[in-house]
């Protein structure tokens, strides 16, 4: 039975013209990947078959979602950005409360929206949010706001270099160490990132070998912080389907290596 929504959630904000998120009024659609409340589903580390790939049309989407926490208020803010050429809908599932209807946001091209989750009301600061969008776009944000705020992570795209760019900003007084764990595609670069206090570090990964698709998780040593980023970089040209989607059809001679 669906539980009523908390009244502690704040009203979403937007920049530019007003574009409030569309809230669901009926039962939620079945997500493409039904998450389990007690166990986070991990994608199979697969090998890829070139013969099973299919041609795909170029899509007009370029989407981003960033998370920030406020330990003092016990809140998590998600900001949805659409830098593509068409409007898009983001669906957010709270994995700690799968009985609740997901929040849905329609963001026009060139616009952004933000919304806030109160993690102290029922979860003692814990949060575990999944964001789904068109074209295989996926983000997940997990951790706790009960402790001091950690580093800020974001992923952007280099369309000309056909790469994903991970930026880690450490506003704290101590250095942090993060681990990058690839899923469907291996990285040839080092997977450990050291970020000094009050500094920012960038890592670039070429996505040409994977048809511009990516899927990796970032965790921080000694912390519950976890961020997962998956999707595909659109270059404006037709491309190939996600090689990992056809992994079960044929075992390849070599895995796809990204980097």
């Amino acid at each position: 039975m669906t539980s009523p929504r908390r009244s502690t959630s704040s009203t979403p904000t937007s920049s530019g013209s007003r574009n409030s998120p569309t809230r669901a009024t009926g039962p939620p659609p079945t997500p493409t990947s039904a998450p389990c409340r007690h166990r986070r589903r991990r994608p199979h580390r697969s090998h890829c078959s070139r013969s099973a790939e299919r041609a795909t049309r170029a899509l007009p989407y370029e989407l981003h979602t960033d998370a920030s926490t406020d330990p003092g208020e016990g809140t998590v803010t998600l900001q949805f950005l659409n830098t593509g050429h068409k409007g898009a809908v983001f669906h957010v599932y709270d994995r700690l409360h799968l009985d609740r209807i997901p929040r849905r946001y329609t963001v026009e091209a060139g616009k952004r929206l933000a919304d806030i989750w109160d993690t102290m009301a029922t979860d003692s600061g814990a949060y575990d949010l999944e964001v789904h969008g068109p074209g295989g776009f996926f983000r997940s944000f997990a951790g706790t706001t009960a402790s001091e705020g950690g580093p800020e992570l974001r992923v952007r795209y280099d369309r000309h270099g056909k790469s994903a760019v991970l930026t880690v900003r450490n506003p704290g007084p101590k250095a942090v160490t993060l681990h990058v764990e690839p899923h469907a595609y291996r990285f040839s670069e080092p997977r450990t990132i050291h970020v000094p206090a009050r500094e920012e570090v960038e890592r670039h990964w070429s996505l040409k070998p994977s048809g511009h698709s990516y899927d990796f998780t970032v965790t921080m040593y000694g912390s519950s912080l976890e961020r997962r980023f998956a999707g595909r970089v659109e270059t404006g040209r037709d491309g190939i389907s996600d090689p990992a989607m056809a992994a079960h059809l044929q075992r390849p001679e070599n895995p796809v290596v990204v980097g």
Side-chain angles (χ1 to χ4, degrees):
M1 182 174 74
T2 303
S3 302
R5 182 174 302 282
R6 296 194 302 263
S7 60
T8 53
S9 299
S10 66
T11 302
T13 59
S14 64
S15 66
S17 62
R18 178 67 178 175
N19 183 18
S20 300
T22 303
R23 298 301 183 112
T25 57
T30 301
T32 54
S33 58
C36 173
R37 177 171 181 174
H38 302 292
R39 181 180 63 184
R40 181 177 296 279
R41 186 179 66 85
R42 295 289 187 183
H44 176 64
R45 287 190 189 179
S46 57
H47 298 289
C48 307
S49 171
R50 289 291 179 187
S51 62
E53 293 170 359
R54 296 292 183 266
T56 60
R57 293 289 188 183
L59 297 176
Y61 303 118
E62 187 173 281
L63 308 176
H64 312 282
T65 303
D66 301 326
S68 60
T69 61
D70 186 336
E73 296 293 331
T75 59
V76 177
T77 299
L78 295 187
Q79 187 164 157
F80 310 93
L81 296 85
N82 182 355
T83 54
H85 303 294
K86 297 291 184 180
V89 178
F90 297 83
H91 301 255
V92 183
Y93 293 83
D94 187 340
R95 289 175 53 88
L96 300 182
H97 300 280
L98 291 177
D99 57 322
R100 297 176 180 173
I101 296 175
R103 304 188 191 185
R104 302 173 185 173
Y105 308 86
T106 300
V107 185
E108 298 177 60
K111 300 295 178 62
R112 66 180 65 197
L113 288 174
D115 204 357
I116 299 176
W117 278 256
D118 182 353
T119 67
M120 298 301 294
T122 57
D123 301 306
S124 301
Y127 63 92
D128 194 346
L129 305 172
E130 283 190 353
V131 182
H132 299 257
F137 178 85
F138 177 83
R139 298 288 186 267
S140 71
F141 307 95
T144 179
T145 63
S147 59
E148 292 297 325
E152 299 173 1
L153 290 78
R154 72 176 190 180
V155 168
R156 295 294 185 265
Y157 311 132
D158 179 357
R159 298 183 63 182
H160 299 290
K162 299 179 176 59
S163 62
V165 182
L166 170 65
T167 302
V168 183
R169 176 177 172 270
N170 178 18
K174 297 182 180 179
V176 298
T177 300
L178 299 99
H179 177 72
V180 181
E181 178 67 25
H183 296 299
Y185 312 105
R186 292 191 331 199
F187 292 146
S188 60
E189 290 191 4
R191 302 178 186 177
T192 299
I193 303 176
H194 300 282
V195 187
R198 299 183 177 87
E199 291 193 18
E200 185 174 285
V201 172
E202 281 191 356
R203 290 290 184 271
H204 295 242
W205 289 289
S206 172
L207 302 178
K208 293 180 182 179
S210 62
H212 312 137
S213 296
Y214 60 93
D215 186 356
F216 61 91
T217 294
V218 182
T219 54
M220 186 172 76
Y221 290 96
S223 170
S224 62
L225 181 142
E226 180 178 302
R227 304 287 188 260
R228 183 174 172 185
F229 305 91
R232 171 179 166 173
V233 177
E234 293 295 335
T235 64
R237 298 182 179 181
D238 295 344
I240 61 172
S241 60
D242 185 342
M245 293 180 65
H248 66 287
L249 299 178
Q250 179 179 343
R251 185 177 182 84
E253 298 179 357
N254 297 298
V256 172
V257 178
V258 179

